[in-house]
Amino acid sequence: MRRLVAAWEALASRVLLPLLVLLVGADVALRYVFNAPLAWGTDVKELLLLLVVTAGLAGNSLADEHIRVSLFEERMRPRAQRAFARVRHALTAVALVLLAWSLAALALDMREFGERAENVPIPFWPLAALVALSAALAAAAELSRLAPTGTAPEERA
């Protein structure tokens, strides 16, 4: 699973993110220098941003780097911290499974009804399917953190 997550993150960081930066730069330059923004720029930028942001879900889950407030957790005893971490990972996995399921259903609806971006003929359903896959990978990563290995979840990377 780590290889799949690393490949997805590499695609996002080495291809999609630079493409997004170039597109934003070109759109800004064309808008303010020539008063001629890219008509399709906003649609493509939004879709690229969606993929870039969601590509990091599974990696964050594997590394246990999701943002959380640990005000109470840090005051617990080590055994209670481990139990709390397991509950946290289980609840996060449930939320991610629900997100993946609903996005997969949405992707099927988008495919059935042929939903596309407004100014460029990009179908939405493959992108929704990729986001659903990212959520499913993140859920699997959270579930993998629940497996007993003899170390606390925080100590695993």
Side-chain angles (χ1 to χ4, degrees):
M1 177 170 57
R2 289 188 187 277
R3 285 186 182 169
L4 181 59
V5 170
W8 178 222
E9 286 182 337
L11 174 72
S13 65
R14 295 180 186 148
V15 177
L16 300 178
L17 187 58
L19 185 61
L20 179 62
V21 169
L22 290 173
L23 183 59
V24 168
D27 196 31
V28 167
L30 288 170
R31 178 181 313 272
Y32 292 109
V33 175
F34 300 109
N35 198 24
L38 299 170
W40 48 268
T42 300
D43 286 342
V44 175
K45 286 183 288 191
E46 289 173 354
L47 297 174
L48 284 173
L49 185 61
L50 172 70
L51 292 177
V52 167
V53 168
T54 57
L57 278 176
N60 282 348
S61 290
L62 281 174
D64 197 23
E65 293 179 348
H66 286 294
I67 296 172
R68 64 179 179 264
V69 177
S70 59
L71 180 66
F72 299 110
E73 187 177 0
E74 64 190 18
R75 296 173 191 223
M76 295 177 181
R77 292 190 173 139
R79 185 176 173 142
Q81 284 181 352
R82 287 191 297 275
F84 184 77
R86 291 194 186 286
V87 169
R88 178 173 31 89
H89 290 300
L91 291 175
T92 303
V94 167
L96 287 166
V97 164
L98 292 173
L99 180 65
W101 178 75
S102 64
L103 283 167
L106 184 64
L108 292 173
D109 284 347
M110 289 175 169
R111 183 172 179 235
E112 181 180 342
F113 295 110
E115 291 186 33
R116 298 178 175 274
E118 285 184 36
N119 296 314
V120 66
I122 297 175
F124 284 149
W125 73 267
L127 303 170
L130 281 173
V131 175
L133 177 64
S134 288
L137 279 171
E142 289 292 335
L143 291 173
S144 75
R145 296 192 64 77
L146 291 173
T149 61
T151 60
E154 291 74 22
E155 297 171 9
R156 282 184 255 145

